[in-house]
Amino acid sequence: MKVKYDCISCLSRQFVTLASKVTEEESKQHEIIAYGLKTLGDKAFVSMAPEITGKVCAYASEITGVDDPYYSEKKEYNSIAFDIIDKLSLKEKVLASEDPFDTAVRLSIAGNIIDFSVGYDIDESTVETSVQMSLDTPLYGTTTDQLREAISSAKKVLFLSDNSGEIVFDQLLVSLLPKRKITYVVKGGPIVNDATMDDAITTGMDQMVTVIETGSKIQGTLLSDCHDEFKSHFEQADLIISKGQANFETLSQVNKNIYFLLRAKCQCVADEIGCQKNDFVIKHKEA
């Protein structure tokens, strides 16, 4: 999915937010923002948004020495996710529900609200609201029954993560899956609040299933930027479960059997999918 007109203002806002996050030096802030705007001007409409943000984040890290500006927030939201699961007894709710798989899928999608890139004012109550909505809101697109059958039929499933915090909600779903089939994927390094191997280890995901890295520090999954080991896993998998908007943006045109699970948090992504903004989505793309 290439950059759309409405992406321009959103990306520009992200450059300003990033610059303010990584340094208090006004001259460096200006440098980061200027680099971002130039990159956007050069790459708009021919590149995907995660490609552009990846370049700008790498540049900001290079000139400030700050590699992981959202480190503390990522830790915080992993803790918040565990607290919400305990507070709302979500593990028990999944197991006691009429269809535990359906409930776990919904909660995994609910966790996708934990996103620092799209302009949402995220706090614990925002996440709780998303959780409560997920249990009652109709899902757009493919049914959970179809996803369940796809997982049952698959021999090798690659589960692409999105954000920290969200990784904890993913565990509710992963706990119900045939773990010998599942390989969970995190980013190759820090990029905004995307989940990394550190998140997989500190949340215990690595104790549930095999976890690998993309080798890339770009939001989403840009195959040309990923290392060969990950690309081999990707090619061998006969089913991809893909979390979040950036993975949809980078993989929606890839010829692969993919189930995209996400909240449609921006109008451009909603329009591309054909849903309404803020919908809970399971979008199937056949190979």
XYZ file of all heavy atoms in Angstrom, residues 173-219:
350
model
N -4.229 -15.729 22.469
C -4.521 -16.496 21.260
C -3.502 -17.605 21.057
O -3.869 -18.761 20.783
C -4.546 -15.563 20.048
C -4.720 -16.204 18.670
C -5.972 -17.077 18.610
C -4.746 -15.133 17.589
N -2.227 -17.284 21.200
C -1.170 -18.284 20.986
C -1.353 -19.476 21.915
O -1.075 -20.625 21.539
C 0.214 -17.635 21.171
C 1.321 -18.685 21.225
C 0.489 -16.641 20.050
N -1.856 -19.227 23.129
C -2.037 -20.324 24.095
C -3.016 -21.377 23.612
O -2.981 -22.527 24.077
C -2.515 -19.759 25.444
O -3.848 -19.265 25.345
N -3.883 -21.010 22.655
C -4.883 -21.944 22.138
C -4.460 -22.602 20.825
O -5.165 -23.473 20.315
C -6.215 -21.215 21.903
C -6.858 -20.543 23.118
C -8.179 -19.899 22.707
C -7.079 -21.538 24.243
N -3.330 -22.181 20.272
C -2.912 -22.666 18.960
C -2.029 -23.907 19.085
O -1.415 -24.141 20.121
C -2.144 -21.568 18.229
C -2.899 -20.258 17.985
C -2.030 -19.272 17.206
C -4.208 -20.505 17.247
N -1.947 -24.708 18.017
C -1.029 -25.859 18.005
C 0.413 -25.367 17.932
O 0.911 -25.001 16.863
C -1.443 -26.614 16.734
C -2.095 -25.588 15.858
C -2.741 -24.596 16.777
N 1.086 -25.317 19.069
C 2.347 -24.586 19.192
C 3.471 -25.129 18.321
O 4.363 -24.384 17.917
C 2.759 -24.530 20.661
C 1.747 -23.749 21.504
C 2.084 -23.775 22.965
C 1.010 -23.069 23.776
N -0.344 -23.640 23.572
N 3.433 -26.418 17.982
C 4.476 -26.978 17.129
C 4.443 -26.356 15.734
O 5.439 -26.380 15.011
C 4.307 -28.496 17.020
C 2.977 -28.919 16.425
C 2.790 -30.413 16.347
N 1.467 -30.752 15.846
C 1.128 -30.723 14.574
N 2.011 -30.358 13.656
N -0.101 -31.050 14.196
N 3.289 -25.796 15.343
C 3.148 -25.184 14.021
C 3.554 -23.717 14.004
O 3.766 -23.144 12.939
C 1.685 -25.234 13.552
C 1.088 -26.581 13.304
C -0.338 -26.380 12.779
C -1.030 -27.689 12.507
N -2.381 -27.454 11.924
N 3.616 -23.100 15.172
C 3.671 -21.641 15.252
C 5.094 -21.138 15.427
O 5.837 -21.591 16.306
C 2.813 -21.127 16.428
C 1.392 -21.713 16.376
C 2.775 -19.596 16.436
C 0.608 -21.361 15.139
N 5.457 -20.152 14.609
C 6.671 -19.368 14.830
C 6.244 -17.912 14.948
O 5.598 -17.370 14.046
C 7.664 -19.529 13.670
O 8.033 -20.908 13.552
C 8.917 -18.694 13.921
N 6.571 -17.309 16.076
C 6.187 -15.923 16.351
C 7.342 -15.020 15.937
O 8.511 -15.323 16.181
C 5.879 -15.760 17.842
C 5.173 -14.473 18.213
C 3.803 -14.352 18.076
C 5.889 -13.390 18.712
C 3.143 -13.176 18.438
C 5.246 -12.219 19.066
C 3.873 -12.117 18.934
O 3.233 -10.950 19.280
N 7.014 -13.886 15.312
C 8.042 -13.033 14.700
C 8.017 -11.633 15.314
O 6.954 -11.006 15.419
C 7.824 -12.924 13.180
C 8.926 -12.076 12.549
C 7.774 -14.302 12.537
N 9.195 -11.145 15.696
C 9.351 -9.780 16.215
C 10.332 -9.025 15.323
O 11.003 -9.611 14.471
C 9.847 -9.791 17.675
C 8.804 -10.409 18.595
C 11.184 -10.541 17.787
N 10.420 -7.713 15.525
C 11.326 -6.893 14.731
C 12.793 -7.190 15.066
O 13.108 -7.661 16.155
C 11.033 -5.410 14.959
C 9.640 -4.984 14.542
C 9.390 -5.203 13.063
C 8.013 -4.707 12.646
N 6.899 -5.456 13.252
N 13.666 -6.819 14.134
C 15.088 -7.050 14.320
C 15.760 -6.026 15.213
O 16.945 -6.148 15.540
N 15.013 -5.004 15.618
C 15.532 -3.960 16.491
C 14.446 -2.945 16.749
O 13.356 -3.019 16.167
N 14.703 -1.975 17.625
C 13.651 -1.035 18.017
C 13.226 -0.104 16.881
O 14.063 0.451 16.177
C 14.290 -0.250 19.168
C 15.762 -0.419 18.986
C 15.954 -1.759 18.371
N 11.921 0.030 16.731
C 11.314 1.002 15.815
C 9.977 1.411 16.432
O 9.088 0.566 16.595
C 11.153 0.437 14.385
C 10.421 1.412 13.474
C 10.473 -0.931 14.391
C 11.234 2.616 13.064
N 9.863 2.649 16.847
C 8.702 3.174 17.592
C 8.393 2.188 18.729
O 9.294 1.835 19.491
C 7.502 3.447 16.662
C 6.446 4.287 17.394
C 7.956 4.209 15.406
N 7.143 1.695 18.857
C 6.846 0.774 19.962
C 6.606 -0.654 19.482
O 5.923 -1.443 20.132
C 5.659 1.262 20.797
C 4.332 1.200 20.066
O 4.243 1.606 18.899
N 3.278 0.729 20.728
N 7.170 -1.005 18.326
C 7.020 -2.373 17.826
C 7.730 -3.360 18.754
O 8.754 -3.042 19.365
C 7.599 -2.479 16.421
C 6.670 -1.888 15.367
O 5.950 -0.918 15.694
O 6.664 -2.381 14.236
N 7.192 -4.573 18.813
C 7.746 -5.612 19.672
C 9.071 -6.126 19.122
O 9.224 -6.343 17.914
C 6.754 -6.762 19.806
N 10.025 -6.322 20.020
C 11.340 -6.860 19.685
C 11.573 -8.147 20.488
O 10.728 -8.560 21.296
C 12.449 -5.853 20.012
O 12.456 -5.638 21.441
C 12.216 -4.528 19.289
N 12.743 -8.748 20.285
C 13.066 -9.968 21.030
C 13.066 -9.711 22.538
O 12.686 -10.587 23.326
C 14.421 -10.518 20.583
C 14.761 -11.870 21.179
S 13.570 -13.191 20.729
C 14.081 -13.516 19.027
N 13.463 -8.513 22.933
C 13.425 -8.168 24.356
C 12.004 -8.280 24.897
O 11.785 -8.801 25.995
C 13.963 -6.753 24.569
C 13.944 -6.339 26.024
O 14.664 -6.958 26.826
O 13.196 -5.397 26.372
N 11.020 -7.811 24.122
C 9.623 -7.924 24.550
C 9.187 -9.386 24.607
O 8.461 -9.789 25.527
C 8.706 -7.161 23.589
C 8.950 -5.673 23.614
O 8.678 -5.044 24.652
O 9.417 -5.120 22.607
N 9.618 -10.175 23.629
C 9.246 -11.592 23.610
C 9.782 -12.320 24.837
O 9.091 -13.156 25.434
C 9.770 -12.250 22.333
N 11.004 -11.968 25.234
C 11.621 -12.625 26.383
C 11.010 -12.143 27.697
O 10.670 -12.945 28.569
C 13.145 -12.393 26.367
C 13.771 -13.120 25.171
C 13.786 -12.856 27.675
C 15.218 -12.758 24.920
N 10.859 -10.822 27.851
C 10.357 -10.291 29.122
C 8.881 -10.612 29.350
O 8.439 -10.679 30.503
C 10.562 -8.766 29.208
O 9.911 -8.129 28.106
C 12.039 -8.415 29.187
N 8.112 -10.829 28.293
C 6.698 -11.192 28.460
C 6.480 -12.700 28.498
O 5.385 -13.162 28.803
C 5.831 -10.612 27.322
O 6.230 -11.199 26.064
C 5.932 -9.102 27.257
N 7.521 -13.474 28.177
C 7.400 -14.929 28.214
C 6.906 -15.559 26.927
O 6.656 -16.777 26.896
N 6.772 -14.795 25.858
C 6.335 -15.381 24.594
C 7.312 -16.452 24.119
O 6.915 -17.463 23.535
C 6.171 -14.293 23.527
C 5.695 -14.816 22.178
S 4.025 -15.520 22.199
C 3.046 -14.017 21.977
N 8.604 -16.236 24.387
C 9.609 -17.208 23.939
C 9.499 -18.536 24.671
O 10.066 -19.545 24.226
C 11.025 -16.630 24.113
C 11.395 -16.412 25.568
O 10.523 -15.966 26.356
O 12.557 -16.696 25.934
N 8.768 -18.559 25.790
C 8.533 -19.803 26.519
C 7.319 -20.550 25.978
O 7.108 -21.725 26.331
C 8.328 -19.508 28.015
C 9.522 -18.839 28.677
C 10.784 -19.668 28.604
O 10.772 -20.840 28.969
N 11.861 -19.079 28.115
N 6.537 -19.895 25.142
C 5.322 -20.498 24.592
C 5.562 -21.130 23.229
O 5.102 -22.241 22.964
C 4.212 -19.449 24.486
C 3.825 -18.801 25.802
S 2.552 -17.528 25.619
C 1.121 -18.548 25.229
N 6.267 -20.395 22.368
C 6.517 -20.853 21.005
C 7.907 -20.379 20.560
O 8.527 -19.535 21.218
C 5.463 -20.307 20.005
C 4.105 -20.956 20.222
C 5.359 -18.785 20.096
N 8.359 -20.886 19.427
C 9.593 -20.397 18.820
C 9.413 -18.942 18.396
O 8.403 -18.585 17.789
C 9.966 -21.241 17.595
O 10.179 -22.602 17.999
C 11.223 -20.712 16.917
N 10.402 -18.106 18.720
C 10.367 -16.689 18.340
C 11.592 -16.385 17.484
O 12.714 -16.749 17.842
C 10.349 -15.763 19.573
C 10.292 -14.300 19.139
C 9.160 -16.088 20.476
N 11.365 -15.707 16.355
C 12.471 -15.278 15.491
C 12.326 -13.784 15.199
O 11.280 -13.186 15.459
C 12.518 -16.066 14.165
C 11.255 -15.806 13.331
C 12.719 -17.548 14.433
C 11.329 -16.376 11.920
N 13.392 -13.203 14.641
C 13.396 -11.785 14.284
C 13.336 -11.622 12.763
O 13.808 -12.485 12.020
C 14.655 -11.104 14.800
C 14.794 -11.121 16.316
C 16.126 -10.546 16.761
O 17.170 -11.098 16.356
O 16.125 -9.544 17.500
N 12.795 -10.497 12.329
C 12.790 -10.191 10.900
C 14.173 -9.772 10.407
O 14.473 -9.893 9.221
C 11.818 -9.049 10.562
O 12.245 -7.851 11.245
C 10.394 -9.393 10.955
N 14.991 -9.240 11.316
C 16.266 -8.672 10.919
C 16.145 -7.236 10.453
O 17.137 -6.602 10.106
N 14.936 -6.704 10.468
C 14.658 -5.355 9.974
C 14.201 -4.461 11.115
O 13.533 -4.915 12.044
C 13.566 -5.426 8.900
O 13.100 -4.144 8.543
N 14.547 -3.166 11.021
C 14.090 -2.177 11.994
C 13.134 -1.211 11.297
O 13.291 -0.002 11.347
C 15.282 -1.442 12.602
C 16.171 -2.316 13.467
C 17.448 -1.617 13.885
C 17.205 -0.431 14.776
N 18.455 0.149 15.304
N 12.142 -1.791 10.621
C 11.113 -1.020 9.937
C 9.753 -1.523 10.407
O 9.561 -2.727 10.597
C 11.243 -1.157 8.404
C 12.492 -0.417 7.918
C 10.013 -0.634 7.683
C 12.748 -0.539 6.434
N 8.815 -0.627 10.628
C 7.468 -1.046 10.990
C 6.879 -1.865 9.846
O 7.120 -1.608 8.676
C 6.593 0.175 11.272
C 6.984 0.898 12.557
C 6.178 2.164 12.744
O 6.281 3.098 11.954
N 5.387 2.212 13.797
